[in-house]
Amino acid sequence: MRKRYFDHVATNPLDVRVFDAMMPYFTEDFGNPLSIYDLGAKAKEAIEKARAHVASLINSKSSEIIFTSSGAEANNFALRGIALARQNEGKHVIVSKMEHHSILNSARFLEKMGFVVTFLPVDKYGIVAPDTVRKSITKETTLISIIHASSEVGTIEPIKEIGQIAKEKGIIFHTDAVAAAGNIPVDVKELGVDLLSMAAHQFYGPKGAGALYVREGLRIVPLIYGGIQENGRRAGTENVPAIVGMGRAAELAKDEMADRIEQAKKLRDKLIKGVSGIENIYLTGHPVPISRDSQRENRLPAHASFTVEFIEGEAMLLLLAAKGIYAASGSACSSKALKASPVLLSMGVSSNLAQGSIVFTLGAGSTEEDIDYLLSEFPQVIKRLREMSPYAKGWGMKGEGGECTVQK
Amino acid sequence: MYSAKVMDHFTNPRNVGEIPDADGIGAEGNPTCGDVMQIFIKVKDDTIVDAKFKTFGCGAAIAVSSMITEMIKGKTIDEALAISKETVANELGGLPAQKMHCSNLGADALKKAIEDYRNKKK
């Protein structure tokens, strides 16, 4: 059976061209970039070339890019590194409820360290209102971190507007652009961000490669101490093949972005239109604008997410997988922690409905035929599970059924 | 993640549906925290002659529901009451640890259905 991969926010296959670029650095040009002989120099040259490509993708200088092992590391680094570097000026940090766990849990770590953290609410589309950010700022605020685009609901945040507020107030502004960078145009100057996180596997680079953009002149406390790699800001012998891969993936993403976006949007819109025709199913995140003249879309081009009433996400994922369709869900049952997606809950989705979360994300390999196949199979999966569900016939609306037998 | 037997009961669940003139109906669970199971039993001469279920939940919850309805058919009320969460999980070839309590609602729903049957009989 053909595999139809609709989980591109989870990860992506490596682009073969990226793979080819990486290959020599595993076995032939394996030198340590710090070594002074030619083998070292060759590795050093390769990572600097990669750095230039990554910088170019987000319109920064090469010297402003610090390579990390992942997007999560970049997020940890940004939050901890800036909060600690500026703790004498204040101990208040602002994040939103849309953030990834690597931001939320870093923020909770800061709380334990004595910082005060504000977790900003969002509207029903998951948008952080710039005015809410402005109102939350205190004299103690040193850092604001807002996600660029949500991998769960596809919503793109008003980063530029929030950046203006941060600049005006002299507060450092970080954005987690892991789901955005490489997939939509990201320009650090236009956005007015001081720090930005990214991950290579989100744009067909390797896993284990990420980067943090840190604006020139900004002081940041390292997360990893040791040698002088990355200008002493991130120790550890560089993962040269992965960095080379990230550079090549960034180069390709920049060159091909316009085409990739156009293709993704076409398929996404077909998917959303098709799925929206099913009864009792709701789009989550920002709706696609009706008019295509709109300069800015508030939804990732390859992202379609829904909640399906009366049934549960994990069961949907398993039945879809049995048909060769791979998707994601934010339901409690499908998470290892057995907790419903905090992002959906913060958008006002009820915990019952959040159980029916399903996320389809498209990528370079997605075809129109894949969407047709999904649209023919998905309604059957829903029908089958609804036939099993006590809720589908209106039962349970008055709270029948027992209490939770266990605390989750 | 799931055993072959769990996947079998999930993909081909037995006894899905309702019994319109059921002698006992029991429900357990809460959609806020996870799964909900509804079980219907038909009893004749103190023996369960038919059982059906409706379940909202993950793969494990559906497999548990299917399995327990299979297990209780032909059993006396007392034999059915002796079925525990562990018995059901063992019959399924085991359940992942995090699913053991949240999704393994069959035995509790069954107890409620039997309670309902006994109350109706009074």
Side-chain angles (χ1 to χ4, degrees), chain A residues 310-312 314-315 318-319 333 336 338 351-352 355 384-385 387-391 393 395 401-406 408, chain B residues 1-2 10-11 13 16 27-36 38 54-59 62 98-99 101-102 112:
Chain A
F310 315 130
I311 59 176
E312 190 278 328
E314 191 219 66
L318 291 171
L319 288 182
C333 299
K336 294 279 183 285
L338 295 173
S351 44
N352 296 17
Q355 284 282 43
R384 205 167 145 189
L385 289 170
E387 277 166 5
M388 279 188 238
S389 169
Y391 293 110
K393 281 170 122 184
W395 178 87
E403 290 301 309
C404 293
T405 46
V406 267
K408 284 192 186 174
Chain B
M1 175 177 153
Y2 289 130
F10 166 62
T11 46
V16 174
E28 186 59 58
N30 184 321
T32 306
C33 47
D35 311 308
V36 176
Q38 215 184 1
K54 280 281 184 87
T55 291
F56 166 93
C58 65
I62 290 167
Q98 85 267 24
K99 299 282 184 187
H101 295 289
C102 313
K112 288 196 172 170

Side-chain angles (χ1 to χ4, degrees), chain A residues 33-46:
Chain A
L34 286 186
S35 300
I36 55 155
Y37 39 79
D38 56 357
L39 209 53
K42 204 161 181 186
K44 176 78 181 155
E45 205 177 293

Side-chain angles (χ1 to χ4, degrees), chain A residues 192-353:
Chain A
V193 295
D194 300 298
L195 302 104
L196 179 143
S197 303
M198 53 204 293
H201 73 116
Q202 292 288 330
F203 49 93
Y204 306 95
K207 297 164 187 65
L212 181 66
Y213 154 78
V214 182
R215 182 177 49 76
E216 196 165 54
L218 201 60
R219 198 169 76 80
I220 185 163
V221 173
L223 200 59
I224 300 172
Y225 290 97
I228 57 147
Q229 292 88 358
E230 302 298 288
N231 267 326
R233 292 186 294 184
R234 202 276 185 179
T237 300
E238 296 90 339
N239 185 353
V240 180
I243 290 170
V244 167
M246 184 169 191
R248 180 72 176 128
E251 184 186 7
L252 293 168
K254 194 181 175 189
D255 288 350
E256 298 170 6
M257 189 169 291
D259 290 342
R260 289 184 192 180
I261 290 175
E262 196 190 341
Q263 166 74 357
K265 273 188 190 173
K266 204 175 88 189
L267 298 179
R268 174 200 66 186
D269 292 352
K270 181 181 165 111
L271 198 166
I272 291 179
K273 195 169 168 235
V275 170
S276 299
I278 304 168
E279 270 184 18
N280 299 94
I281 187 161
Y282 314 100
L283 185 78
T284 58
H286 210 277
V288 181
I290 297 157
S291 156
R292 265 299 138 80
D293 307 332
S294 162
Q295 275 297 300
R296 194 175 73 185
E297 275 202 16
N298 292 329
R299 186 173 192 101
L300 285 173
H303 199 288
S305 55
F306 308 90
T307 48
V308 186
E309 249 186 325
F310 315 130
I311 59 176
E312 190 278 328
E314 191 219 66
M316 280 191 269
L317 296 188
L318 291 171
L319 288 182
L320 286 170
K323 304 202 179 229
I325 296 168
Y326 300 92
S329 170
S331 85
C333 299
S334 62
S335 83
K336 294 279 183 285
L338 295 173
K339 280 184 183 154
S341 154
V343 163
L344 290 175
L345 300 180
S346 72
M347 288 161 58
V349 174
S350 74
S351 44
N352 296 17
L353 195 53

